[in-house]
Amino acid sequence: MTAQPMITQTPVTPDVDALGTWLPVPGYGVLAVNAFVIRATRPVLVDTGPAVLGDAFIQALERAIDPARLEWIWLTHPDPDHVGNLAAVLQRAPRARVVTTFLGMGKLGLLGLPVDRVHLLNPGQSLDVGERRLLAVAPPVFDAPESTGLFDPSTGALFSADCFGALLPAPAAGAADVAPELLRAGMIGWATVDAPWLHRVDRGRFRESLQAVADLQPKRILSSHLPPASNMTATLLGNLADAPDAPPFVGPDQAALEQMLAA
Ligand SMILES: [Fe+2]
Ligand SMILES: [Fe+2]
């Protein structure tokens, strides 16, 4: 059995903290799993981490902000690594509404989320966080159709959901701390795992979707699965541009898994 992963609360900008952990991926390294707190006038929690973190997630959240102050819980998509502590957060955040899409609401309803705690927002629409508005954006790479990212025009921060994630050999404080070739290989590897449909897409249309990110001119990319990346947008976009032509991912089978466990 692996030990319970650690979670750290790290300031990224004056008004954003990352609540981050690293999950081991046997045979492939580690994967960052990040939630974020945006201390706007109407504060936002972006995702709620994997359930395996349990109380440790709540404690990290409480170091970043009093959960009772949260007004929005933005769920990039309802995968288990993003909604694992949602019920516990909702209990401590009685005013908070869960921001998602129509499909996300359907999936969350199956997990027991009542409709009166939901706020629907589509890409292109924006969320009122008090002194400013945050723009919902469709990430160019995703593993669930309801995936929605978040762009803060006032700070240039792009919360990109699973997009721009990377399988890395070891944890790192920032994406800039990873050797460029390891970052590139890790990003392409993650993209082939998380979005196998990339191999089938029209390359020109895919480049257009990457250009849409470039047009936002994000200063910081805050992915759910990458350490914070400042002033690296062109590099990250360049890495992703090559993912559709990388070899498709085939996961280990049972025999390979047993070998890994034995090792
Ligand atoms: Fe996902
Ligand atoms: Fe994810």
Side-chain angles (χ1 to χ4, degrees):
M1 290 292 291
T2 52
Q4 186 191 31
M6 304 278 289
I7 180 166
T8 55
Q9 173 231 342
T10 311
V12 179
T13 65
D15 73 342
V16 174
D17 279 6
L19 309 179
T21 192
W22 292 89
L23 298 184
V25 183
Y28 296 91
V30 293
L31 181 69
V33 179
N34 301 316
F36 299 96
V37 172
I38 307 171
R39 282 185 295 267
T41 302
R42 305 180 69 190
V44 186
L45 172 65
V46 181
D47 288 335
T48 68
V52 67
L53 290 172
D55 290 344
F57 182 86
I58 298 300
Q59 289 159 11
L61 172 63
E62 287 173 341
R63 287 195 294 274
I65 193 168
D66 175 359
R69 289 188 51 220
L70 288 173
E71 294 215 16
W72 303 114
I73 300 170
W74 182 294
L75 295 181
T76 60
H77 62 304
D79 274 357
D81 50 326
H82 300 257
V83 300
N85 301 289
L86 178 59
V89 173
L90 282 169
Q91 272 184 1
R92 291 162 176 79
R95 295 193 320 189
R97 299 283 288 264
V98 172
V99 183
T100 184
T101 64
F102 182 71
L103 179 58
M105 179 180 71
K107 292 186 179 182
L108 290 163
L110 296 175
L111 296 175
L113 182 70
V115 171
D116 63 3
R117 301 239 27 201
V118 169
H119 179 88
L120 294 189
L121 201 75
N122 285 327
Q125 297 181 315
S126 63
L127 186 72
D128 178 2
V129 296
E131 74 290 356
R132 62 196 199 264
R133 299 187 76 88
L134 307 180
L135 177 67
V137 296
V141 177
F142 54 88
D143 66 2
E146 66 278 11
S147 294
T148 311
L150 182 62
F151 181 62
D152 186 341
S154 72
T155 64
L158 174 65
F159 301 83
S160 65
D162 284 3
C163 188
F164 300 109
L167 289 163
L168 296 175
D177 300 320
V178 182
E181 278 315 300
L182 293 177
L183 179 63
R184 176 182 163 77
M187 285 184 65
I188 290 175
W190 170 248
T192 63
V193 171
D194 200 47
W197 51 265
L198 271 176
H199 301 291
R200 302 182 196 166
V201 299
D202 177 279
R203 305 305 194 250
R205 297 292 294 275
F206 181 57
R207 278 194 295 275
E208 286 173 17
S209 70
L210 296 177
Q211 186 59 46
V213 174
D215 290 345
L216 292 172
Q217 300 185 313
K219 290 183 190 148
R220 252 177 221 92
I221 291 190
L222 302 177
S223 168
S224 302
H225 300 306
L226 184 74
S230 297
N231 302 312
M232 295 180 69
T233 300
T235 299
L236 300 193
L237 288 169
N239 290 344
L240 265 193
D242 293 332
D245 294 311
F249 172 75
V250 179
D253 62 9
Q254 181 62 26
L257 175 64
E258 287 173 10
Q259 273 186 355
M260 282 180 199
L261 293 175

